[in-house]
Amino acid sequence: MAKKRPQTKGKQQPQLKGGVDANYPVVGAREPCPCGSGRRYKACHGRAAAHAVAELVQRPFEGLPGECDWVALRELVPAATVELTLRDGLPEGVPSVTLATVLPMAWPALRRDDGSVLIGLQNDTSSGDISRDLADTLRRALEAEPGTPVQGRRAPADGPRMQELLNPEAPFEPVVHAGFEFWVPDSENATPEVSASLERANAAAIPTVKLSGVDAAYWCETPEKNHLRWVMPHPEEQLLDALARLHAAGTSSLGEGTRLVGSFRAHGVIVPVWDLPSGVGADDVEKPAAEFAERLASALASDAPLTADERRARGGLTNRQVTLS
């Protein structure tokens, strides 16, 4: 790892031309830094900017209640909302704060006319730490004028993360929606741009249902077949070993016609995926999923070396793994 070098002293970052913060690379890397230090930009404030872009937090939602559901809403679920509880309570004039998978016009956040705040989760981030970017967006949304969206920006490197802003004792309970009507409580008065965005989003949304009997498992319907995508918090190597044990034993399915086909890796956790016949709905897999959870718990508890068949099963599962983040 590169050694850290001293940064310019002072409580506030210097402001560059046009009021742009010095974290932003507004000059060439070899040009003098606009802060007036006399050093090249890349050796002065450009170093912090480059580090902020390159540094990736592999598990940004770790420590938040419902970490696996955060991952699901970020990567897998088209339309869902969650009421958030702030650690310090709601500011005056803000009746509620709601996390949403996506907002109209891909806004990072929106302060509604009534003062309530919506935060979009499925947005591009600039810093490499989704949690820090979301926290920065949330803080700005709480201070925004009612009736205005909040634009994206790179979060300050020393800014808080969502783990610091949210109440760690509050539940995280996603509500999955069939469409994005939650965007516009009064659809008749929506702007043409928002109405068009709503129509496009509803047309593209895949029907999705959250299972009630197990944590962070989401059924979805596609034209060819249905799927169950289940976000799991267990360490990757331990989980893959456990899945391999079940797969080799012929007990990794969720019933007749279903098949464990692989997994996603997303934000530091693993998401096993099952193919389901088109006629199998969310209610049909509730009981099989609960029974699978019991088999998985037993397999996770085993520390015996993998057999040859289990190693082959593990290799097959690993080869069918896709990284989403």
Side-chain angles (χ1 to χ4, degrees), residues 1 7 21 23-24 49-50 52 72 119 163 174 197 249 291 296 311 322:
M1 296 179 63
Q7 300 295 321
D21 186 87
N23 283 331
Y24 288 77
I119 303 292
Q163 286 84 343
S197 184
E291 294 171 346
L296 179 64
R311 288 197 301 271
V322 177

Side-chain angles (χ1 to χ4, degrees), residues 162-180:
M162 292 297 279
Q163 286 84 343
E164 300 167 60
L165 299 186
L166 299 184
N167 184 341
E169 304 300 325
F172 189 81
E173 300 175 341
V175 177
V176 178
H177 303 277
F180 296 87

Side-chain angles (χ1 to χ4, degrees), residues 21 42 74 82 122 147 159 169-170 178 207 267 270 273 284 306 309:
D21 186 87
K42 71 173 185 178
R74 167 76 182 185
V82 186
Q122 295 179 10
E169 304 300 325
H267 306 293
I270 299 300
V273 178
D284 298 322
L306 296 182
D309 287 343

Side-chain angles (χ1 to χ4, degrees), residues 159-225:
R161 307 178 74 234
M162 292 297 279
Q163 286 84 343
E164 300 167 60
L165 299 186
L166 299 184
N167 184 341
E169 304 300 325
F172 189 81
E173 300 175 341
V175 177
V176 178
H177 303 277
F180 296 87
E181 281 71 21
F182 63 86
W183 284 354
V184 281
D186 184 7
S187 58
E188 294 182 358
N189 293 324
T191 65
E193 292 82 0
V194 170
S195 295
S197 184
L198 173 62
E199 184 177 350
R200 289 192 301 270
N202 281 343
I206 296 174
T208 302
V209 176
K210 185 180 189 299
L211 298 195
S212 60
V214 294
D215 292 335
Y218 291 81
W219 170 94
C220 67
E221 179 183 18
T222 63
E224 294 184 358
K225 61 184 69 174

Side-chain angles (χ1 to χ4, degrees), residues 17 55 59 85 138 155 159 162 171 246 263 279 304 321 324:
K17 183 178 179 181
E55 186 178 21
R59 197 166 174 175
T85 304
L138 172 56
M162 292 297 279
L246 297 179
S263 62
Q321 188 176 72
L324 297 182

Side-chain angles (χ1 to χ4, degrees), residues 71-266:
V71 174
L73 268 56
R74 167 76 182 185
E75 299 294 341
L76 307 174
V77 181
T81 56
V82 186
E83 294 298 313
L84 299 181
T85 304
L86 304 188
R87 187 185 292 266
D88 297 328
L90 293 169
E92 184 178 356
V94 180
S96 65
V97 174
T98 302
L99 181 75
T101 48
V102 67
L103 297 182
M105 317 298 290
W107 290 324
L110 172 65
R111 181 85 185 272
R112 282 178 160 163
D113 291 335
D114 65 357
S116 61
V117 168
L118 286 176
I119 303 292
L121 183 56
Q122 295 179 10
N123 289 303
D124 292 336
T125 57
S126 302
S127 74
D129 184 353
I130 298 170
S131 179
R132 196 178 307 281
D133 285 326
L134 286 170
D136 179 66
T137 299
L138 172 56
R139 294 178 76 187
R140 291 186 292 126
L142 293 172
E143 299 173 355
E145 291 293 326
T148 60
V150 175
Q151 302 301 325
R153 73 171 189 182
R154 179 183 300 150
D158 59 349
R161 307 178 74 234
M162 292 297 279
Q163 286 84 343
E164 300 167 60
L165 299 186
L166 299 184
N167 184 341
E169 304 300 325
F172 189 81
E173 300 175 341
V175 177
V176 178
H177 303 277
F180 296 87
E181 281 71 21
F182 63 86
W183 284 354
V184 281
D186 184 7
S187 58
E188 294 182 358
N189 293 324
T191 65
E193 292 82 0
V194 170
S195 295
S197 184
L198 173 62
E199 184 177 350
R200 289 192 301 270
N202 281 343
I206 296 174
T208 302
V209 176
K210 185 180 189 299
L211 298 195
S212 60
V214 294
D215 292 335
Y218 291 81
W219 170 94
C220 67
E221 179 183 18
T222 63
E224 294 184 358
K225 61 184 69 174
N226 299 339
H227 305 279
L228 183 72
R229 300 178 292 190
W230 192 342
V231 189
M232 297 184 174
H234 316 291
E236 179 173 346
E237 297 302 314
Q238 181 187 10
L239 177 57
L240 289 175
D241 281 353
L243 292 174
R245 296 181 197 279
L246 297 179
H247 204 59
T251 58
S252 64
S253 75
L254 299 175
E256 185 178 356
T258 70
R259 186 167 67 98
L260 175 63
V261 293
S263 62
F264 298 124
R265 179 191 290 114

